[in-house]
Amino acid sequence: MIAAIASFFGIIIRLIYNLVNNNYFLSIILFTLLTKIILFPLSWMQIKSTEKIQKMQPKVQKITDKYKNDKQKQAEELSKLYSENKINPMGGCLPLLIQLPIILAMFAIVRQPLTYITQTPAEEIKSYTQEYLQKEDVSQTEINTNELIIAKEKNLIDMDVAFGINMGDVPSNIFSKDESKKPNPVSLLIPILTVVFSFVQTKITQKNSSMTEEQIEMQKSMNFTMPLISGIIVFSMPLALGVYWLFGNILQILQQLFISNKIKRDAEKETLALDKGGK
């Protein structure tokens, strides 16, 4: 399934790549923006659902405290509360579930751009690998492993950005003994900024969530571990994935702020209208 999604996304990235004069960096940026626009309705539903649950938090806390020793009854009462108020407590999970296969597909795309973006025939990629490794018998693992290197060296996809930065570079190779693999030190900014913006995103999400005090305490460690995990992944993957991840986080933050403020303004207008009606 992931391969099929990667193939589909690869075609879209290729179309964007052709439209922007073979600019791979801009292609990833525009593809990230496109996915956020498409997923915007789901994000809107997610945040609205979170806002509804937040308003119900006093009642939720009351039920939680009342039936803290009877988890089954607690679950039944919470389910009844959500049902009566037409709230889906799992509504906030859908966008996360949809984004997971997208991320996994991007893992494949940035490591195998010839397979998924240029749609180069398998036999041709194998031929490139045989030439690169200077041997006739090459395994599928060797083909997959060297595909990105071949795409860079033969310039089959223009991955150069500026200042010696290449979208195919892997930041972790800064410690490589092979000088040809070492990326520009500036590329380390991508994983660092990913950690920073991931942390900001988790804080904003938590601020607008309806978690209990116990859940908030549990979340504190996640506020640091999840951004660090994001940074480690981006550090060990081609920069193309880091750009996708970082720009996606920035867009998510802006989107979260926009929707939250819009919901808040609408609620204030509704309250004002009710007050005027009461008078």
Side-chain angles (χ1 to χ4, degrees), residues 26-255:
L26 187 56
S27 300
I28 295 296
I29 291 290
L30 292 177
F31 175 76
T32 310
L33 180 61
L34 179 62
T35 58
K36 290 299 179 183
I37 291 173
I38 292 173
L39 293 176
F40 182 80
L42 289 177
S43 296
W44 180 276
M45 290 170 58
Q46 175 195 16
I47 295 173
K48 283 191 72 174
S49 176
T50 301
E51 293 282 344
K52 281 185 178 181
I53 295 174
Q54 190 172 23
K55 289 180 180 179
M56 300 299 299
Q57 190 56 35
K59 293 182 179 180
V60 171
Q61 190 66 51
K62 186 176 179 180
I63 292 173
T64 302
D65 293 340
K66 184 177 180 179
Y67 300 104
K68 61 182 178 181
N69 296 321
D70 187 347
K71 297 299 181 183
Q72 183 176 347
K73 183 65 176 176
Q74 184 186 102
E76 289 174 359
E77 290 298 317
L78 287 174
S79 179
K80 182 180 177 181
L81 178 66
Y82 292 141
S83 179
E84 289 174 350
N85 291 275
K86 298 180 180 179
I87 296 174
N88 180 6
M90 298 301 292
C93 298
L94 184 58
L96 297 176
L97 293 175
I98 291 177
Q99 288 180 48
L100 180 59
I102 295 177
I103 285 290
L104 293 177
M106 287 301 296
F107 280 10
I109 290 170
V110 300
R111 287 184 294 190
Q112 295 178 255
L114 300 181
T115 297
Y116 295 110
I117 298 179
T118 63
Q119 306 283 308
T120 304
E123 284 302 315
E124 189 173 339
I125 297 174
K126 180 179 179 180
S127 178
Y128 284 137
T129 308
Q130 290 171 329
E131 179 184 345
Y132 177 72
L133 297 178
Q134 296 185 343
K135 65 177 185 177
E136 189 69 24
D137 187 22
V138 291
S139 66
Q140 190 60 49
T141 300
E142 288 175 318
I143 294 172
N144 295 343
T145 301
N146 291 285
E147 186 173 321
L148 178 63
I149 299 172
I150 292 167
K152 283 175 57 180
E153 291 196 359
K154 289 186 171 291
N155 203 32
L156 299 174
I157 295 181
D158 187 2
M159 298 184 184
D160 288 326
V161 182
F163 310 110
I165 299 173
N166 188 288
M167 293 283 279
D169 287 341
V170 178
S172 61
N173 283 340
I174 194 76
F175 302 111
S176 175
K177 294 180 180 180
D178 186 345
E179 291 295 327
S180 65
K181 289 184 178 181
K182 284 190 175 183
N184 188 310
V186 176
S187 65
L188 292 174
L189 282 175
I190 298 297
I192 292 171
L193 290 174
T194 298
V195 171
V196 172
F197 281 98
S198 293
F199 178 75
V200 172
Q201 184 186 340
T202 58
K203 294 295 288 184
I204 291 175
T205 301
Q206 181 178 315
K207 181 180 178 181
N208 290 282
S209 71
S210 55
M211 294 183 293
T212 63
E213 292 182 7
E214 183 181 351
Q215 289 172 325
I216 290 174
E217 285 299 317
M218 293 174 62
Q219 184 71 20
K220 284 183 178 179
S221 62
M222 298 294 287
N223 287 342
F224 294 97
T225 55
M226 292 309 294
L228 284 175
I229 290 172
S230 298
I232 290 169
I233 292 173
V234 169
F235 181 67
S236 60
M237 292 290 291
L239 277 178
L241 181 71
V243 170
Y244 171 81
W245 202 306
L246 174 59
F247 189 56
N249 280 340
I250 294 172
L251 291 177
Q252 189 67 35
I253 291 169
L254 295 175
Q255 183 176 268

Side-chain angles (χ1 to χ4, degrees), residues 266-279:
D266 289 346
E268 289 173 351
K269 288 179 181 178
E270 185 178 338
T271 302
L272 185 61
L274 290 172
D275 290 343
K276 286 183 178 179
K279 292 179 180 179

